[in-house]
Amino acid sequence: MNDYSQMWSDLGIDIPSHNILMTALPELYTDVYLSQPDRPQGMAYFDGLISQLHGERIQELLEHKQRGGKVLATMCVFVPEEIVLACGAIAVGLCGGIDWATNEVEKVLPRNMCALIKSFMGFKLGKVCPYFEVADLVVGETTCDGKKKSFEVLGDYIPVHVMETPQMKNLIDYQMWDAELQRFIEVVENLTGNKISAASLQNGISKVNNKRKALQRLSATRKADPSPISGKDALLIYQTAFYDDIDRFTAKVNVLCDELEQRISAAATQHTVPDKLRIMVSGTPMAVPNWKIPHLIESAGGRIVFDEMCTGERYFQNLVAQPEGKSVAQMVTDITRRSLEIDCACFTPNQVRIDKVIAKTAEYNVDGVIHYALQSCDPFTIEGFRMEKQLKEAGIAIMRLETDYSQEDVGQLQTRIEAFLETLAERKG
Amino acid sequence: MNDYSQMWSDLGIDIPSHNILMTALPELYTDVYLSQPDRPQGMAYFDGLISQLHGERIQELLEHKQRGGKVLATMCVFVPEEIVLACGAIAVGLCGGIDWATNEVEKVLPRNMCALIKSFMGFKLGKVCPYFEVADLVVGETTCDGKKKSFEVLGDYIPVHVMETPQMKNLIDYQMWDAELQRFIEVVENLTGNKISAASLQNGISKVNNKRKALQRLSATRKADPSPISGKDALLIYQTAFYDDIDRFTAKVNVLCDELEQRISAAATQHTVPDKLRIMVSGTPMAVPNWKIPHLIESAGGRIVFDEMCTGERYFQNLVAQPEGKSVAQMVTDITRRSLEIDCACFTPNQVRIDKVIAKTAEYNVDGVIHYALQSCDPFTIEGFRMEKQLKEAGIAIMRLETDYSQEDVGQLQTRIEAFLETLAERKG
């Protein structure tokens, strides 16, 4: 394994703090991931990817920058990677899955904010996220109050461009997001010095669509019973989708899918035992290394087969229309259309999300839904109440959980999850 | 005093619960308001108004409805009263200043939400707010996540129309709000059966502008040192502005201003002792009967001379352009322009608010700013951090408070406020 100390130091990373982080993660990963039995061979690539997330991947981004390329860091599925790619830049995610530098964060943000926002602020203030340090621009958005106002604070430490995301799906919202995409194109063109052409945007759309198709294929394999991949492994792939080189990532997901589809065929002929309990997780995104709830669910004997989250279906469930033969303006309109199909809780009303969850529980043969929300995330916590009500009316078992990144409530969560799974098992008979 | 029991019963009010509320309020009002020395005579009208807020005023609204009129209930300064009036309807506020039916609320909303939202939901679920019961339509908005998603829940109990408020001030936001106003006009026209005309909208704009001018005049009297009216009394007028008959209210505010301006002249000739400490309160709105912080400040010897809140300057600081000779479309554009001048923390960036606070501390000769935010109100709590930083850089004393509607923290708040005022007194010398 290469030594990246010099690279991190050159980036301005706080080396002693970063060493603490880098020491803690492998142990957690071994416990949560490597201890799983019967993992697909194709997961080896993603194990390597996660171990090199602060190393080799950052080196690649630096090499891209040395060739004159730019890096844009984002926190949201609304930010159009197609446009970033069309300008020859790379889009990456930001660190936000673990409490960090909380004392520093609480000097600039309120204490009772969602863990994700406090985390990304902590990674920046604590200088332990190389994606922040390598990024030329952070692209924020207004999907929730916490992010909207925190990006103002973040702007004190790094250049930030904020996109105004729509809150409804009326005609004017399509026009608004179209205008926001045009404004974003100007920003990325100015940053990179590259003008978008029909050919480059077509290329960007195709690359991102291919990534989404590979992830859709992965998701489809999970309809099989037994599901050929653990929920934790699937989540890891959804999480790393924000960081890896897009073409390599897409290829590796497809290789994994080949293996998973072979597993399904083999399981069918061998009459393999079906999943004990098939679970859907729905709610707020889970950033690396936030594996707390999936680990508890699968340790208690559940098998997660559907992730109704931004680190999950919401990231890839819709494609941009085929771009061939279209003008830049037409393709931008197509990106707008896809964006307005997103069923994030930032929209009002957002009945489409609840309808989808109900439909997917049937399609994926789900025994129960666990609705997960970060504490103080108003959009998802409030929508969780409505989802619970409607799923119960539809006869679907659901449990709502609210938590954060601490380990203090793990015992309590474990008890609740085990009790829920017991109820599901009795129901299943 | 009339007995309104039958009216409340006919409205579906929960009479025993409502009696508890009606018994508690006069005592609180005596303690907070009537005990103040040297109140302007013109406050007698507003004392009467508050005592009749659930009685005579509701009867007036019912009489309006018996004549075929409609009542629209709102929670936000973005909702255009001009359009409501132009259709012959009446806009009123909703109850939201006291914890109520919390157990019922926490069945449909998360526990850790801002007190204002939990309160209005509790007033509806507990059936103790006659404004909810008399309203034909609640007009919600998307100014914060909590309200945006709670209006979905409220829609299970009463008809709700939600307006999508802009989050930025780019050209597209003006277009979006213009479209939202057009959509709102259709809703109000359909509800009332009255089409808006240039004459009726002109009339609506003039009435609301006159109310705002009267409130601006009131605010201007508070520049005098000593200020001719207590902060608590001024707040009461700003609060009741949402409920009273618009023409009568405007006239009564102007009568009060005549008296206050006479007081100022008299004080100048008599060399009256100036205010000990002049305070600005800035932050989230204070709904009736949320007088907790102003009462603590003025009991500790401070004199509030500026309310930088939606129950305050944000409600009336800008006028719609003169409507004479304009078409409906032109006037709607003017309403849009005024709306986009609002400096609510829902906007990003919102530097204009901090700049205004700095400017007004000079204009109103303010000794210190108390930034007040309801717990879990992300827009204002986060912006409070930025405001504190910039005010300190500008040499302006500021203290940030976060609280809710409970009385549990009153002792702690009192200690903090007294300490802050002592610091200001030492600074003033």
Side-chain angles (χ1 to χ4, degrees):
Chain A
M1 193 161 149
N2 290 323
D3 180 2
Y4 293 104
S5 304
Q6 189 59 49
M7 178 182 80
W8 292 327
S9 180
D10 292 345
L11 276 172
I13 294 287
D14 180 333
I15 300 292
S17 295
H18 190 252
N19 284 345
I20 294 170
L21 182 68
M22 289 294 104
T23 309
L25 285 182
E27 196 179 331
L28 176 66
Y29 197 73
T30 301
D31 185 35
V32 174
Y33 275 94
L34 302 182
S35 66
Q36 297 178 101
D38 196 29
R39 295 180 78 212
Q41 289 177 8
M43 284 308 298
Y45 172 74
F46 301 97
D47 290 340
L49 180 60
I50 201 94
S51 77
Q52 286 300 319
L53 216 54
H54 283 203
E56 198 176 320
R57 182 60 187 141
I58 297 297
Q59 196 170 50
E60 287 179 356
L61 294 173
L62 286 171
E63 287 162 6
H64 164 77
K65 288 178 64 133
Q66 278 154 12
R67 293 190 298 270
K70 300 291 180 184
V71 175
L72 286 80
T74 76
M75 290 290 290
C76 181
V77 301
F78 275 97
V79 178
E81 188 177 3
E82 297 88 345
I83 288 170
V84 176
L85 292 171
C87 288
I90 294 177
V92 294
L94 283 172
C95 305
I98 194 170
D99 290 330
W100 203 263
T102 305
N103 285 343
E104 291 304 306
V105 171
E106 292 178 358
K107 289 177 191 163
V108 298
L109 288 179
R111 181 174 304 213
N112 58 342
M113 289 196 62
C114 99
L116 182 71
I117 292 169
K118 289 180 79 168
S119 174
F120 79 67
M121 194 65 76
F123 272 98
K124 179 60 201 169
L125 298 183
K127 293 182 184 166
V128 287
C129 173
Y131 291 90
F132 262 122
E133 307 311 320
V134 87
D136 297 288
L137 181 70
V138 169
V139 185
E141 18 64 41
T142 62
T143 50
C144 70
D145 295 338
K147 285 207 273 179
K148 176 167 71 179
K149 299 304 283 186
S150 296
F151 284 125
E152 296 175 8
V153 180
L154 193 63
D156 292 342
Y157 306 96
I158 186 171
V160 177
H161 171 76
V162 177
M163 301 185 76
E164 183 180 5
T165 45
Q167 306 183 76
M168 291 188 166
K169 297 183 179 182
N170 298 323
L171 175 61
I172 190 67
D173 297 292
Y174 287 80
Q175 293 166 350
M176 193 189 77
W177 190 241
D178 212 87
E180 278 301 275
L181 292 179
Q182 298 291 356
R183 200 164 67 92
F184 183 60
I185 286 174
E186 277 180 41
V187 166
V188 187
E189 284 182 342
N190 287 338
L191 180 72
T192 60
N194 298 326
K195 283 269 170 198
I196 279 190
S197 66
S200 73
L201 187 52
Q202 191 175 315
N203 183 51
I205 290 174
S206 297
K207 278 178 188 283
V208 183
N209 271 353
N210 286 338
K211 173 162 69 169
R212 293 195 189 106
K213 283 179 198 166
L215 292 167
Q216 287 177 353
R217 189 181 162 202
L218 170 64
S219 176
T221 69
R222 303 169 78 193
K223 291 181 194 173
D225 190 353
S227 167
I229 184 169
S230 73
K232 287 191 292 191
D233 279 336
L235 174 62
L236 189 77
I237 293 165
Y238 302 151
Q239 288 175 330
T240 50
F242 287 83
Y243 297 94
D244 199 11
D245 174 79
I246 186 163
D247 294 331
R248 184 176 58 208
F249 177 85
T250 303
K252 292 295 183 183
V253 172
N254 278 316
V255 167
L256 174 70
C257 288
D258 292 341
E259 182 187 353
L260 298 180
E261 287 161 5
Q262 283 165 12
R263 278 190 173 210
I264 294 168
S265 307
T269 54
Q270 292 161 23
H271 304 291
T272 311
V273 183
D275 293 324
K276 207 161 66 180
L277 289 171
R278 296 169 61 82
I279 304 295
M280 177 191 294
V281 176
S282 171
T284 44
M286 296 176 179
V288 177
N290 176 19
W291 305 305
K292 180 172 158 180
I293 296 291
H295 186 50
L296 285 171
I297 294 170
E298 299 207 321
S299 299
R303 182 80 154 181
I304 300 167
V305 297
F306 197 89
D307 297 276
E308 201 282 317
M309 303 186 291
C310 291
T311 46
E313 296 284 326
R314 200 167 294 120
Y315 182 65
F316 56 78
Q317 66 194 6
N318 309 109
L319 300 179
V320 176
Q322 282 300 327
E324 282 74 23
K326 288 180 176 167
S327 68
V328 168
Q330 285 170 322
M331 287 185 271
V332 168
T333 301
D334 288 341
I335 295 173
T336 293
R337 284 201 188 120
R338 197 202 81 91
S339 303
L340 272 285
E341 287 172 4
I342 294 173
D343 51 8
C344 172
C346 66
F347 286 108
T348 187
N350 196 34
Q351 183 60 35
V352 64
R353 175 174 167 235
I354 300 177
D355 293 342
K356 180 191 70 182
V357 166
I358 291 174
K360 294 296 178 185
T361 55
E363 193 178 337
Y364 282 72
N365 196 20
V366 164
D367 294 306
V369 175
I370 293 184
H371 190 275
Y372 160 83
L374 284 173
Q375 272 159 16
S376 302
C377 169
D378 284 345
F380 279 98
T381 51
I382 301 176
E383 196 157 286
F385 279 78
R386 293 184 74 67
M387 186 176 289
E388 182 179 37
K389 187 179 169 196
Q390 293 189 34
L391 262 62
K392 283 185 172 170
E393 284 165 6
I396 300 164
I398 177 169
M399 177 172 66
R400 281 189 302 106
L401 297 178
E402 284 178 37
T403 181
D404 55 19
Y405 290 169
S406 77
Q407 296 301 309
E408 284 167 23
D409 58 354
V410 163
Q412 194 197 343
L413 288 169
Q414 186 181 349
T415 306
R416 288 192 60 199
I417 288 169
E418 286 173 354
F420 181 63
L421 296 186
E422 272 175 38
T423 318
L424 296 184
E426 283 168 23
R427 197 168 159 151
K428 202 168 182 177
Chain B
M1 193 161 152
N2 289 324
D3 180 3
Y4 293 103
S5 303
Q6 189 58 49
M7 177 182 81
W8 292 328
S9 181
D10 293 345
L11 277 172
I13 293 288
D14 180 334
I15 300 292
S17 295
H18 191 252
N19 284 345
I20 294 169
L21 183 68
M22 290 294 103
T23 308
L25 285 182
E27 197 180 327
L28 176 66
Y29 196 75
T30 301
D31 185 35
V32 174
Y33 275 93
L34 302 182
S35 66
Q36 298 177 100
D38 195 29
R39 296 180 78 212
Q41 289 176 9
M43 284 308 297
Y45 172 74
F46 300 96
D47 290 339
L49 180 60
I50 201 95
S51 76
Q52 285 300 319
L53 215 54
H54 282 203
E56 197 176 322
R57 182 60 186 140
I58 296 297
Q59 194 170 51
E60 287 178 356
L61 295 174
L62 286 171
E63 286 162 7
H64 164 75
K65 287 178 67 132
Q66 280 154 11
R67 292 189 300 269
K70 301 291 179 182
V71 175
L72 285 81
T74 76
M75 289 288 290
C76 181
V77 301
F78 275 97
V79 177
E81 188 178 2
E82 296 89 344
I83 289 169
V84 176
L85 292 172
C87 289
I90 295 178
V92 293
L94 283 171
C95 306
I98 195 169
D99 290 331
W100 202 265
T102 305
N103 286 342
E104 291 305 305
V105 172
E106 291 179 358
K107 289 177 190 163
V108 298
L109 288 179
R111 181 174 304 211
N112 58 343
M113 291 196 61
C114 98
L116 182 71
I117 292 170
K118 290 180 78 168
S119 173
F120 79 67
M121 194 65 75
F123 271 99
K124 179 61 202 168
L125 298 183
K127 294 181 183 165
V128 287
C129 172
Y131 291 90
F132 262 122
E133 307 311 320
V134 88
D136 297 287
L137 182 69
V138 169
V139 186
E141 17 65 39
T142 63
T143 49
C144 71
D145 295 336
K147 284 206 274 178
K148 176 167 69 178
K149 300 304 282 185
S150 297
F151 283 126
E152 297 176 9
V153 179
L154 192 64
D156 292 342
Y157 306 95
I158 186 171
V160 177
H161 171 77
V162 177
M163 301 185 76
E164 183 179 5
T165 45
Q167 307 183 77
M168 291 187 165
K169 296 183 180 182
N170 297 323
L171 176 61
I172 190 66
D173 297 292
Y174 286 81
Q175 293 165 350
M176 192 190 77
W177 190 241
D178 212 86
E180 278 300 275
L181 292 180
Q182 298 291 354
R183 201 164 66 91
F184 183 60
I185 286 173
E186 277 179 42
V187 166
V188 186
E189 284 182 341
N190 287 338
L191 180 73
T192 59
N194 298 326
K195 284 270 170 197
I196 279 190
S197 66
S200 73
L201 187 53
Q202 191 176 317
N203 183 49
I205 290 174
S206 296
K207 278 177 187 283
V208 184
N209 271 353
N210 285 338
K211 174 161 70 171
R212 294 195 188 105
K213 282 180 199 164
L215 292 167
Q216 287 177 353
R217 187 180 163 202
L218 170 63
S219 176
T221 67
R222 302 169 77 193
K223 291 181 194 172
D225 191 355
S227 167
I229 183 168
S230 74
K232 288 192 289 189
D233 279 336
L235 174 62
L236 188 78
I237 293 165
Y238 302 151
Q239 288 175 330
T240 49
F242 287 84
Y243 298 94
D244 198 12
D245 173 80
I246 186 164
D247 293 333
R248 184 176 58 208
F249 177 85
T250 303
K252 293 295 183 182
V253 173
N254 278 317
V255 168
L256 174 70
C257 287
D258 292 341
E259 182 187 354
L260 298 181
E261 287 162 5
Q262 284 165 9
R263 278 190 172 209
I264 294 168
S265 307
T269 53
Q270 292 160 22
H271 305 290
T272 310
V273 183
D275 292 323
K276 207 161 66 180
L277 290 170
R278 296 169 60 85
I279 304 296
M280 177 190 294
V281 176
S282 171
T284 44
M286 296 176 179
V288 176
N290 177 19
W291 305 305
K292 181 172 156 180
I293 296 291
H295 186 50
L296 285 171
I297 294 170
E298 300 207 320
S299 299
R303 182 80 155 182
I304 301 168
V305 297
F306 197 88
D307 296 276
E308 201 282 316
M309 304 187 289
C310 292
T311 45
E313 295 286 324
R314 200 167 294 120
Y315 182 65
F316 56 77
Q317 65 194 3
N318 309 110
L319 300 179
V320 176
Q322 282 299 326
E324 282 73 21
K326 287 181 177 168
S327 68
V328 169
Q330 285 171 322
M331 286 185 269
V332 168
T333 301
D334 289 341
I335 295 173
T336 294
R337 282 200 189 122
R338 197 202 81 93
S339 302
L340 272 287
E341 287 172 6
I342 295 173
D343 50 8
C344 173
C346 67
F347 285 108
T348 186
N350 195 34
Q351 182 60 37
V352 64
R353 176 173 167 236
I354 301 176
D355 292 343
K356 179 190 71 182
V357 166
I358 292 174
K360 294 296 177 184
T361 55
E363 194 178 336
Y364 281 73
N365 197 19
V366 164
D367 294 305
V369 174
I370 292 185
H371 190 275
Y372 160 83
L374 284 172
Q375 273 160 14
S376 301
C377 169
D378 284 346
F380 279 98
T381 50
I382 301 176
E383 196 157 287
F385 279 78
R386 293 185 74 69
M387 186 178 288
E388 181 180 39
K389 188 179 167 196
Q390 293 189 35
L391 262 60
K392 283 184 173 170
E393 283 165 8
I396 299 164
I398 176 170
M399 177 172 67
R400 281 189 302 105
L401 297 179
E402 284 178 38
T403 183
D404 54 21
Y405 290 169
S406 78
Q407 296 300 308
E408 284 167 23
D409 59 353
V410 163
Q412 195 196 343
L413 287 169
Q414 185 182 349
T415 306
R416 289 192 59 200
I417 288 168
E418 285 172 355
F420 181 63
L421 296 186
E422 272 175 37
T423 318
L424 296 184
E426 282 169 24
R427 198 168 159 153
K428 202 166 183 176

